[in-house]
Amino acid sequence: MADLRSDLWCMAFVRRHNDMGNMCVVARRGDPIAGQIFIEVDHLDGTRSLFTPAPIISRGAANGQVFQRRFSRVEPAKVRDRIEQEVSFDPDLWVLSIDLRGDDLGIDVIRGPDA
C-alpha cells in the first residue's frame, strides 16, 4: 500500500489534535505529495521536542509515516536551529507545530538517537 500524501497526512494530524484540544498548526508547508514531515512539540514548560522521519531501513514492515524522536525536551533554539538546517537542505519539508504537555502524539515512533 502506498503512503498517504504528505499534505493529507498533515491536515489529518492537525485536525485530530485540534479536535482533542491541542493547539496544532502547519508552521511550514512542503511538497504536497512526498515532502518529509517534522513535528515540533512545545511542552509548555520552556522545552521542546522534535520528531523527524525515521530512516527507511529502521521502519521494518511498518506502513505509513514513522518517526523518530530527534530531540527530547530541549531548549527551543536547538529545535529551531535543526529545522532551519534541514530546510536549507530540503526546502520541500513540512513542519507541524503542536502545544502538548504530555509525550503521546499518537504517531508511530521508533527508537531514535536520543532514546
Side-chain angles (χ1 to χ4, degrees), residues 60-104:
N63 287 326
Q65 297 289 339
V66 179
F67 295 87
Q68 67 181 354
R69 186 184 323 256
R70 178 67 61 180
F71 298 120
S72 181
R73 296 184 179 262
V74 298
E75 62 277 357
K78 189 170 185 176
V79 170
R80 191 171 39 252
D81 290 345
R82 180 59 184 207
I83 291 172
E84 288 174 9
Q85 178 185 11
E86 290 293 330
V87 167
S88 70
F89 176 73
D90 178 11
D92 292 330
L93 71 86
W94 290 77
V95 178
L96 305 180
S97 183
I98 183 170
D99 293 347
L100 185 69
R101 292 194 189 278
D103 292 316
D104 185 13

